Amino acid sequence: MITLAVDNDKAGLGFIEKLKNKNIKFNIDLPPLENNQEKMDWNDFLKQKKPLT
């Protein structure tokens, strides 16, 4: 099974739609949007969740 872990933004969502139109089966893993955000980058999300040392 293919899992797409793309950014939750216009480009990432567009990529998902292109693959859906080609009937390719996959799971989607998007970083969550928080506080009325319009987009979320995986790197930024992971930096927010990582405890500072």
Side-chain angles (χ1 to χ4, degrees), residues 34-48:
E34 299 175 354
N35 303 323
N36 298 320
Q37 291 177 313
E38 292 184 22
K39 62 181 183 175
M40 175 58 85
D41 179 274
W42 267 116
N43 290 327
D44 294 337
F45 175 74
L46 294 173
K47 287 178 191 175
Q48 290 174 5

Side-chain angles (χ1 to χ4, degrees), residues 12-43:
L13 297 174
F15 181 65
I16 290 168
E17 287 304 312
K18 285 181 184 179
L19 291 181
K20 281 183 180 178
N21 291 335
K22 294 183 181 205
N23 294 321
I24 298 172
K25 294 184 180 190
F26 54 87
N27 291 326
I28 303 168
D29 192 5
L30 298 171
L33 298 176
E34 299 175 354
N35 303 323
N36 298 320
Q37 291 177 313
E38 292 184 22
K39 62 181 183 175
M40 175 58 85
D41 179 274
W42 267 116
N43 290 327

